[in-house]
Amino acid sequence: MNAETETDRDARKPPAGVAVVVIGYDDAAHVTDAVRSALAQGPAVREVVAVDDCSTDGSAGLLDRLAASEPRLRVIRRRANSGGCGTPRNTGLDAVTSPYVMFLDSDDVLPPGAVDALLEAAEGAHAEVAGGLCVRRELPSGREVPWEPRLYALHAVVPRPARRPRLVHDTLCVNKLYRTGFLRAHGIRFPEGRFPYEDVVFTARVLAAAPRIALVPDRVYVWHVRRSAGRLSISLDRSGVENWRARTEACRQAYEVLLGAGQKELARAVRAKFLDHDLRMYVRELGLRDAAYRRAWWELTRAHLAEYDADDWARNPAAPGRLVGRVVLASPEPCDLPRLRELAARPARLCPPYARAADGTPVWSDALPVSLEPLRARPVRALPLAVDAELRPCARGTRLRLRLRLRLRLRLRLRLHELYGRVAQAGPESVEAEWLHRDDGGVVVRDTAVPLAPCPSGSEPAGTAGSEAVALAQGPEPAGRAGSRAVALARGAEPAGAVALGPCARGAEPAGTAGSVRGGAWSAEVAVDLAALSALGAGTWDLRLRIRFRDGVSRDVSAHAVRGAGLLRRSAVPSVRHGVVLVQPYATHSGALALRVAPGVRGVLSVARARLRRLLH
């Protein structure tokens, strides 16, 4: 008798099955779409467990009717609302019978092939966990932003999480497949009750158990972001300070879980991620909050950061999040919010003044001498360079074939500040401006690179020299003007032409560009073609700059939007093609320059409707 081969045994094994746990509360508008996206994954999904957290809007009835025609769907109704996401997920986890389990929120969907991709990776690598790419889809625009794309760029197998500390940055539980037996054997569950950011703690518990992890570049989860929804999701509703309290508590627990499991490097990575991601995100929004919120936020943050030790601060000490954290920790009261907001931007900008201590050491300010000495060793490609930008629309007429044609253009004046001698040392040579479409990051209007001209010594406006010469605007930006966080690949980029601006004449700096110019500054002027920006219709464009230095190194930066008379005001520019183009330069939450363009009658009507909606709500 021939011996049975391993292939023969595998052929007779029942296929591995996946359970998808869908949780929802009062989400009748979306829950059936979520469930159907799970069922549509095919035979790999053995069961879908829908847990209704005591909805009052008829969600459970919709699920019951769907279950009547779908044997793989089981509906569980909770008798009392839990107030969070952890308890219903635990309820579903207790009910599943399949070897693998995934989690899905009622307002999101699984894209086709998601389960197959994760299951194949888990089975092929004998992994307890498999993760894939999640995309955040902004609605109603449909713009998609990948979540932690660096982790999922390639197929990979991580034998132990400690070998890939970046894993702590992906705190989502929904873009992963878990071996059910692994979770149960280690007692891994979500925090119960109303515990915002429960997935942060759950992910830490998973990593603490040291699973073998398979990573795939496939899109496996679509996270719908509905900022205009009547009831914002927990992660989006950051208007109250309790949200920040919950986030800091979740990060604290994640650190303690990993440290208690002997995963010291991962625990350190959790604190580093808090500084680089969480802290910077909330600092960018502080200007939108009232004084009571800012005081409470500042107190909570200082208490949390006081738990950090010297090793936490010594790792990558010049990183923007660490500089922001050290300033917050050093001041008992909220201070320098405009400068902190700019430093928390992506890319970071350290705006003037550039103060020094008596011994010449770079410091945050004369009043708050937090050392900035680590900046001196930071490579120029990673420096938080500050560029001021002012934008003024203008029209230039040219005669072509006996017809008068208006060429719509924008004049962009740029000023690059010195940073403790590092910029002059690197030798800035040119700057290239790119306008990235907010809703379609693949569309870029690129201007040709122009030289950066040094400003002669003494060309600053009177009263602006020295460490105290800064006047960054204190006023908050209108809600909803978040800047773009991803630099996209160019598609059909159209050069708009540009000219260099000569050395700054005395008093010729852009209005409102107060700031220390110790060690010099560099300037350029770019002519932006408004016709190219308006060709796609109404939309928002984010400005990105690429500064090139003498040795060929380049640094991508955003620009600080200069405020002043005649700046950041809506203008109506005549257009032969569109009749009129509305142009609105503005500062994003982080203070960066962005531009709204609305061509033609449709554009004007869209602006009017948007203003009406804001007035009514």
Side-chain angles (χ1 to χ4, degrees), residues 109-142:
V109 294
L110 298 179
V115 172
D116 284 338
L118 291 173
L119 182 58
E120 181 181 352
E123 291 278 282
H126 303 288
E128 289 83 17
V129 179
L133 184 66
C134 168
V135 294
R136 289 168 52 103
R137 180 181 292 165
E138 298 271 353
L139 296 177
S141 71

Side-chain angles (χ1 to χ4, degrees), residues 151-168:
L151 271 177
Y152 302 105
L154 300 169
H155 288 274
V157 177
V158 184
R160 290 290 182 269
R163 296 191 181 182
R164 190 73 64 91
R166 185 75 190 181
L167 287 167
V168 304

Side-chain angles (χ1 to χ4, degrees), residues 11 190 225 234 279 454 485 548 603:
F190 292 89
V225 180
I234 292 173
L279 181 64
R485 298 179 185 176
R548 299 190 185 277

Side-chain angles (χ1 to χ4, degrees), residues 4 96 123 150 198 205 287 317 329 442 461 468 516 540 544 554:
E4 184 180 41
V96 303
E123 291 278 282
R150 288 169 53 187
E198 76 295 329
R205 291 171 178 172
L329 196 57
E468 296 301 322
S516 168
T540 300
R544 290 292 183 271
S554 64

Side-chain angles (χ1 to χ4, degrees), residues 552-567:
V553 171
S554 64
R555 170 64 165 141
D556 290 340
V557 300
S558 55
H560 164 70
V562 176
R563 301 170 185 269
L567 301 176

